Amino acid sequence: MKIPFLDLKTSYQELQTEVDDAFRRIMNSGWYIMGKELMLFEEEFAAFCHTRYCIGVGNGLEALHLIMRGFGIGPGDEVIVPSNTYIATWLAISYAGATPIPVEPDEKTYNLNPSLVERAITVRTKAIMPVHLYGQPADMDSINEIAENHNLKVIEDAAQAHGARYKGRRAGSLGHAAAFSFYPSKNLGAFGDGGAVTTDDEAIAEKVRILRNYGAPKKYFHISKGYNSRLDEMQAAFLRVKLGRLDIWNKRRADIAGCYMSALREVPGLVLPYVPDWAEPVWHLFVVRHQDRDGLQDRMRSDGIETLIHYPEPPHLSGAYSDAGWKSGAFPVAERIASSALSLPMGPHLPAGAVDAVKRSIQGYISEGHGRGRHMPGDAE
């Protein structure tokens, strides 16, 4: 049985009639940038996230960067960021000319550890950028309280968390502003790149609108040095179709996650995801950990099961940030996660029998003595 990590073709086939109709509608309209479809998507996604505003942009990295620019964060400023995240989170800070200040995650949730944030704050700190990693919201009340006490902005990286809830509230509405990615593999994915900013702050919404369009509030009149970062009409139309299915598809992901949890609970040496009572993740990824992660991945590959590693190299050890001088051991929690995390197949169109096949493959490998009974940080008590 061949099991893909994510089946995007079948997701298109489920929506083929609506997606093809949207394609023809846009092609026949003769209007491809900054038109009606974008306006409607922005209204609909803002309503979905329970925010006043949504601004469609080119991709998730640019969404984060434009928020930074909108808040006036730049050279000389610092932004607190998780030590374990995709590098785009850090790059947005660097693009603004500010400095990312890494803080370790809680090793159970993999999200920013609020108990470590305050000690990283300096007179140069301007914002905290929590990431809702793998589709599970960070502990936002604790983070917001710290931010309020120090007069800091909270910028959500919600690139993996479309529809996730924290104490009943949607990701994207939990800070001063939030950035989403619509990369095709996301829970709400376009058929190309795309992104959005959500916020209740009218001023930041207007600044991002202007910055995304060459710094122009109206055509040919430029009030700032802006960018070309616009969600196009075609992708907006496709995203409108998919938005209508998002809660249903997220429910399928949650059901699959529940099956994984039940099937793999007794597998020795395998660390399963931990979900706090206040979190409703959307399971963008289902990440397990194992001491012999690479060997386990090889075995699963030989069994026809595709897995991925999110992410094999923490940003502080990447060449991109070699100038900062961090060495191995600087952020040990992030490094442990990077060396042991494995993302299992996940998606709303995972084929029947996939969970059982994954279980057999993992059990088969561990039963041969690979890492069996070895303790890892994050193991259940």
Side-chain angles (χ1 to χ4, degrees):
M1 182 179 186
K2 299 293 184 182
I3 301 173
F5 180 76
L6 176 66
D7 185 354
L8 293 178
K9 181 178 179 180
T10 302
S11 69
Y12 162 66
Q13 292 171 338
E14 181 176 328
L15 302 175
Q16 183 170 357
T17 299
E18 296 165 79
V19 169
D20 290 357
D21 286 348
F23 169 78
R24 287 189 289 268
R25 183 172 71 247
I26 300 305
M27 294 306 296
N28 288 324
S29 75
W31 193 288
Y32 308 121
I33 298 286
M34 301 285 282
K36 181 180 177 181
E37 293 291 337
L38 176 59
M39 179 188 70
L40 290 172
F41 172 72
E42 289 175 337
E43 292 175 356
E44 291 162 4
F45 194 62
F48 177 84
C49 293
H50 304 158
T51 59
R52 293 176 64 194
Y53 307 105
C54 168
I55 306 95
V57 299
N59 54 64
L61 170 56
E62 290 173 1
L64 286 169
H65 178 220
L66 293 177
I67 293 171
M68 300 277 293
R69 281 289 313 274
F71 280 133
I73 298 170
D77 296 332
E78 296 176 349
V79 177
I80 292 172
V81 67
S83 58
N84 65 315
T85 182
Y86 185 53
I87 199 169
T89 316
W90 287 37
L91 289 175
I93 300 168
S94 299
Y95 285 175
T99 301
I101 303 298
V103 169
E104 292 271 64
D106 179 313
E107 199 159 356
K108 291 175 69 177
T109 67
Y110 309 134
N111 280 326
L112 188 65
N113 189 338
S115 68
L116 303 178
V117 168
E118 200 149 19
R119 70 185 70 172
I121 295 173
T122 73
V123 295
R124 294 180 295 278
T125 307
K126 293 296 186 291
I128 305 171
M129 190 179 287
V131 179
H132 305 314
L133 197 64
Y134 310 149
Q136 176 160 291
D139 185 358
M140 294 303 296
D141 282 354
S142 299
I143 292 168
N144 283 327
E145 181 179 358
I146 295 168
E148 185 175 357
N149 290 341
H150 293 271
N151 195 30
L152 305 176
K153 298 298 184 185
V154 175
I155 302 168
E156 298 173 73
D157 183 339
Q160 301 181 359
H162 313 72
R165 293 181 185 269
Y166 172 82
K167 298 183 179 179
R169 294 173 285 151
R170 294 271 199 191
S173 68
L174 304 172
H176 293 96
F180 286 89
S181 167
F182 302 127
Y183 185 75
S185 64
K186 304 299 186 184
N187 292 41
L188 181 62
F191 290 87
D193 267 323
V197 172
T198 58
T199 184
D200 285 330
D201 186 328
E202 183 177 6
I204 192 66
E206 184 60 19
K207 287 177 182 177
V208 171
R209 283 194 199 97
I210 291 169
L211 286 167
R212 74 172 173 182
N213 191 35
Y214 297 101
K218 62 179 181 178
K219 196 168 185 177
Y220 300 136
F221 291 86
H222 306 273
I223 63 173
S224 65
K225 296 181 179 70
Y227 305 87
N228 176 12
S229 181
R230 302 172 298 199
L231 182 65
D232 67 63
E233 287 289 280
M234 191 71 74
Q235 299 303 336
F238 294 153
L239 288 166
R240 292 183 66 207
V241 172
K242 286 192 166 186
L243 184 58
R245 286 289 207 289
L246 182 55
D247 280 334
I248 294 171
W249 285 3
N250 282 344
K251 176 63 166 57
R252 292 184 195 170
R253 288 175 177 267
D255 290 344
I256 292 165
C259 291
Y260 270 138
M261 296 290 258
S262 296
L264 302 175
R265 185 175 290 117
E266 304 301 325
V267 177
L270 194 72
V271 180
L272 300 182
Y274 169 79
V275 181
D277 291 341
W278 41 256
E280 295 178 48
V282 291
W283 300 104
H284 173 62
L285 300 173
F286 189 94
V287 178
V288 299
R289 292 175 62 200
H290 190 263
Q291 286 281 22
D292 189 18
R293 184 269 313 283
D294 294 342
L296 177 58
Q297 184 179 40
D298 288 343
R299 170 60 173 268
M300 296 182 76
R301 184 184 299 113
S302 70
D303 289 339
I305 300 168
E306 184 181 13
T307 62
L308 293 177
I309 298 171
H310 297 88
Y311 301 95
E313 181 182 68
H316 71 279
L317 296 181
S318 69
Y321 286 94
S322 59
D323 58 342
W326 286 302
K327 303 297 183 183
S328 180
F331 298 99
V333 178
E335 293 171 30
R336 285 198 297 269
I337 294 169
S339 67
S340 60
L342 185 66
S343 299
L344 303 184
M346 171 55 77
H349 301 93
L350 195 68
V355 172
D356 287 340
V358 167
K359 178 182 178 180
R360 287 194 299 271
S361 181
I362 294 174
Q363 283 185 323
Y365 187 72
I366 293 176
S367 69
E368 296 168 3
H370 302 283
R372 184 180 179 89
R374 294 163 67 186
H375 178 76
M376 284 184 57
D379 278 343
E381 296 296 332

